[in-house]
Amino acid sequence: MPEAVVEVQGLVRSFPFQGGQARVLDGVDLEVHPGDRVCLVGPNGSGKSTLLRILAGLDRLDGGRVRTSESGGGPYLVPQESDLFPWLTARDNLLLGMRRSALAPAEYVRRLDRWLRTLDLADHVDRFPAQLSGGQRQQFSILRAFLSGSPVLLMDEPFSRLDAATRGHLQQETLELWERERPAIVFVTHDLAEAMFMGERLILMDGRGRARELVMERSGSRDPWNAGGGSQDPAVQEVLAAFREPRPANPSTPSRPAGVTRPALATLLSPLVALLLWEVAARLGWIDTRFFPGPLQVLSKLMEMTTSGELWPHLAASALRLAAGFTLGSLAGTVLGLSMGMMPRLRAVLEPVVALTYPIPKIAILPLLLLIFGLGEIPRVTILAIGAFYLVLLNTLQGVTEARDSTSLVARNLRLRGWDYAVRTLLLGAMPWILTGVRAAAGYCLVLMVAAEFAATESGIGYVVWNSWDLFDIDRMYAGLVVLAVAGALLQALVGALCRAWSRRRGGVGAGGDTMRL
C-alpha cells in the first residue's frame, strides 16, 4: 500500500468552555492514502471542520501527531462558500491555480479548457463572480482545487448552501473530476446520504470527540438523489428530469428604461426652484441685495469675467494646483498604505506617527510650509498633497487589512507570492476602499485649495473670492463661489464616474461608495 498522504495519531483539540476545557477531538486516529475518498459525517459540533482546519494548517492541536503530504504544495482546503476573488473574472481566478500546479502553463491551460467544456462552463468563464450563480461560483472553486495539483483536497461542506438540484449536480461533477485527477479527498458533511454517495470510506464523528470508521454497503448508484436507497416519488423524478435538461445561459441584467425618472427630475428641479425664489426675493426687495445679489445679477457678472478673460487664468492656476497636489498625495497614500498593510513591522513603526499627525488640521500646517518654502507654488501644492495623503492612506490600509483577512485562505491554498499577492490580491481587493478615500480626498483638497489661495497669492479662484471681499465687490465674490460650486460638482462627478466604471468592470463589486470608514 502506498504511503499515507494524511496521518493522524491521537489528535486532541480542546476549547474553553464554562471556565474549563471541552475536548472537541479526543484521541482521533485517521489515515488517508492517495486516491481515497473519505467522508467525515456527524452532528454539528462534533469536530469535523476543526479536524479539517488542523489538517490544512489553519488551527493548532493540543496533543497527538498530524502529518500531511507536502508534495504538490500540501493540502488544499475548499470552504463552504466560493473562494473566488470578486475582482477577477472566473478565468483569471482559475489561472491563479497555475502558480501552485506542477503542470507546465500550456498543459494547465489545455486541461482547464477541456474541463470548462466538459462541465459546460465555457460560456461563463469571462464573467465576474457577482455575475454568476452560487452553483457556478462553487463549480469554478472546485475545479481550481482539482487543477492545483494538491495530493489532498479538504472539502468542508462545499455544497451545503446550494439548492438540492444544484447540489446533486455538483456532487456528480466532483466525482467526475476525481476519477480523472485522482487526488485524495477528505469530505466533511452532516448528510448521511451525501456521505454514502461521495465517500468510499465513512468516518463517524460521534460528538464526544471520537471518530470511528463505518462499513458501508454500496449499491453502486451514481445518482446522488438515490444514494440513500432511492426514491420513486413522481415529484422527485420530475425535478430530476427538469434538471437534466440543458440549462440556458443566465440572461443579462435588463437595462433601465430611457428617459428621466421622477427622482432624477426632482433632483434637477429643486435647485432651479430655489434659484427662482431667490431671484424673486431679490427683485421684490425681501432681501438685501448688497449681501445677497440675485442669481441673474451674479450670472451677468460671471459672464463679464468670462468674456473679458479675467476668469481663465485664475481657473487654470487652481486646476493645476489641485491636480498636482491631489495626484501626488493619492499616489503616496496608496503606496504607503499598501506597504504598511503588507509589512506588519513597517505598520508597527509608522502607525503611531500617522495616528499622532492625522488629527492636526492640515490648513494649520500652511504657515510652516510658507516659512520653509517661501511664497511660491510648493507650499500650496504640498498642503493639498498632505490632505489627500492621509485620507487615501487610511482607507488603503483598512482595505488591505480586510482584503488580507478575507483572502488569507485562498492565498494560502494557491501559495500566492510577489506580484500575484501584492497586486492581484491585496491591491485589487482594497480598491473599493482606495476609491472611497480618493473620492473623499477630492472634495477635501478643493477646500484646502481655496483656504491656501486666501493667503499670500495673486491667482486662483480662492484669491478671487478673498480679493472680492477685500474690495467689497459682492457680485464678483458670488461669481467665484459659483465657479467653485461647479468645479466641486464636476470633480465629484468625475471621481464618481471612475468608481462606477470600476464597479461595472469588476462585475458589480463595490467601489468607492458613499460611506467612508477611517
Side-chain angles (χ1 to χ4, degrees):
M1 180 177 292
E3 183 181 3
V5 291
V6 173
E7 187 177 355
V8 178
Q9 295 178 346
L11 176 60
V12 175
R13 180 70 172 101
S14 302
F15 291 94
F17 180 72
Q18 295 182 349
Q21 294 286 321
R23 283 198 173 185
V24 176
L25 300 174
D26 188 6
V28 172
D29 297 321
L30 176 66
E31 277 194 6
V32 180
H33 296 274
D36 278 359
R37 296 202 320 270
V38 179
C39 275
L40 308 179
V41 65
N44 290 331
S46 58
K48 303 184 301 296
S49 295
T50 299
L51 176 55
L52 225 61
R53 289 180 59 82
I54 291 175
L55 296 180
L58 299 175
D59 199 355
R60 64 178 177 83
L61 61 157
D62 298 321
R65 174 175 173 268
V66 172
R67 185 191 66 81
T68 59
S69 171
E70 292 302 317
S71 65
Y76 188 114
L77 177 61
V78 180
Q80 292 184 12
E81 293 187 356
S82 164
D83 58 355
L84 303 181
F85 289 158
W87 50 86
L88 297 179
T89 64
R91 182 183 297 277
D92 288 338
N93 271 287
L94 291 171
L95 290 177
L96 284 177
M98 190 188 303
R99 275 64 177 175
R100 169 174 174 152
S101 175
L103 296 173
E107 174 62 18
Y108 184 94
V109 172
R110 187 192 66 78
R111 189 174 297 188
L112 170 60
D113 289 339
R114 184 192 68 202
W115 276 117
L116 290 174
R117 292 190 299 270
T118 301
L119 301 178
D120 195 26
L121 292 172
D123 292 338
H124 309 290
V125 73
D126 291 319
R127 297 182 180 184
F128 289 92
Q131 299 167 328
L132 301 169
S133 69
Q136 289 168 340
R137 289 195 292 270
Q138 200 68 337
Q139 279 179 297
F140 284 120
S141 294
I142 292 171
L143 176 56
R144 184 171 66 184
F146 275 94
L147 290 175
S148 70
S150 172
V152 184
L153 299 187
L154 309 172
M155 308 186 78
D156 189 4
E157 298 190 72
F159 313 130
S160 62
R161 308 203 178 189
L162 303 175
D163 63 84
T166 304
R167 181 174 183 161
H169 184 68
L170 288 188
Q171 287 171 349
Q172 290 175 313
E173 287 188 344
T174 300
L175 289 186
E176 291 175 13
L177 285 163
W178 172 81
E179 287 173 350
R180 184 68 64 91
E181 307 295 335
R182 287 283 173 169
I185 295 179
V186 181
F187 190 98
V188 163
T189 181
H190 60 267
D191 185 331
L192 181 58
E194 180 176 65
M196 292 177 66
F197 176 71
M198 295 297 299
E200 294 179 324
R201 296 171 55 197
L202 189 63
I203 307 296
L204 175 63
M205 311 287 289
D206 61 9
R208 295 185 292 275
R210 298 188 295 270
R212 61 189 179 90
E213 187 163 352
L214 303 180
V215 177
M216 291 193 299
E217 294 182 2
R218 302 191 56 81
S219 65
S221 170
R222 303 299 288 171
D223 186 343
W225 291 80
N226 298 312
S231 172
Q232 299 302 319
D233 189 286
V236 171
Q237 297 303 318
E238 185 177 345
V239 171
L240 283 171
F243 178 71
R244 288 171 179 144
E245 294 178 357
R247 291 170 294 166
N250 290 343
S252 58
T253 303
S255 58
R256 294 182 179 180
V260 180
T261 62
R262 289 183 179 180
L265 186 62
T267 301
L268 179 65
L269 289 179
S270 58
L272 295 179
V273 172
L275 290 173
L276 178 61
L277 293 175
W278 185 358
E279 181 67 28
V280 171
R283 289 182 179 273
L284 294 179
W286 295 346
I287 57 178
D288 191 340
T289 55
R290 293 176 301 171
F291 305 115
F292 305 102
L296 292 180
Q297 186 176 340
V298 174
L299 181 60
S300 176
K301 185 64 175 181
L302 182 59
M303 294 297 295
E304 177 187 330
M305 294 172 63
T306 302
T307 55
S308 68
E310 177 189 0
L311 178 64
W312 302 116
H314 295 293
L315 189 59
S318 292
L320 289 174
R321 290 176 188 135
L322 183 62
F326 173 71
T327 302
L328 290 173
S330 297
L331 288 176
T334 301
V335 171
L336 187 58
L338 182 63
S339 301
M340 290 173 64
M342 291 182 60
M343 294 180 280
R345 291 183 180 178
L346 181 64
R347 179 171 184 171
V349 171
L350 294 183
E351 196 164 32
V353 178
V354 173
L356 182 65
T357 56
Y358 171 67
I360 300 175
K362 304 306 174 283
I363 195 62
I365 307 174
L366 182 59
L368 177 62
L369 296 176
L370 290 171
L371 181 65
I372 297 173
F373 298 108
L375 300 179
E377 289 297 321
I378 293 179
R380 294 175 186 83
V381 172
T382 302
I383 199 67
L384 300 183
I386 291 174
F389 168 79
Y390 278 96
L391 292 177
V392 177
L393 167 66
L394 293 173
N395 276 271
T396 301
L397 183 57
Q398 182 64 30
V400 170
T401 301
E402 294 205 359
R404 186 186 62 235
D405 293 343
S406 64
T407 62
S408 59
L409 176 59
V410 186
R412 182 187 182 93
N413 274 337
L414 300 177
R415 304 296 189 264
L416 296 180
R417 299 289 188 273
W419 175 267
D420 285 323
Y421 185 65
V423 176
R424 298 171 70 88
T425 303
L426 295 184
L427 179 60
L428 293 181
M431 191 58 70
W433 284 86
I434 296 172
L435 291 177
T436 299
V438 167
R439 192 170 188 175
Y444 188 47
C445 282
L446 186 65
V447 174
L448 286 176
M449 181 198 71
V450 174
E453 289 177 346
F454 280 176
T457 184
E458 295 184 355
S459 63
I461 303 300
Y463 167 78
V464 170
V465 174
W466 185 263
N467 182 252
S468 299
W469 170 85
D470 197 27
L471 300 176
F472 202 71
D473 190 346
I474 304 302
D475 293 351
R476 184 166 172 262
M477 179 190 297
Y478 272 88
L481 294 175
V482 168
V483 172
L484 288 174
V486 173
L490 291 176
L491 183 61
Q492 288 298 315
L494 175 61
V495 177
L498 292 175
C499 294
R500 288 189 295 273
W502 170 267
S503 179
R504 287 193 299 269
R505 176 68 182 86
R506 297 295 161 181
V509 179
D514 294 329
T515 302
M516 179 187 65
R517 288 175 279 177
L518 299 176

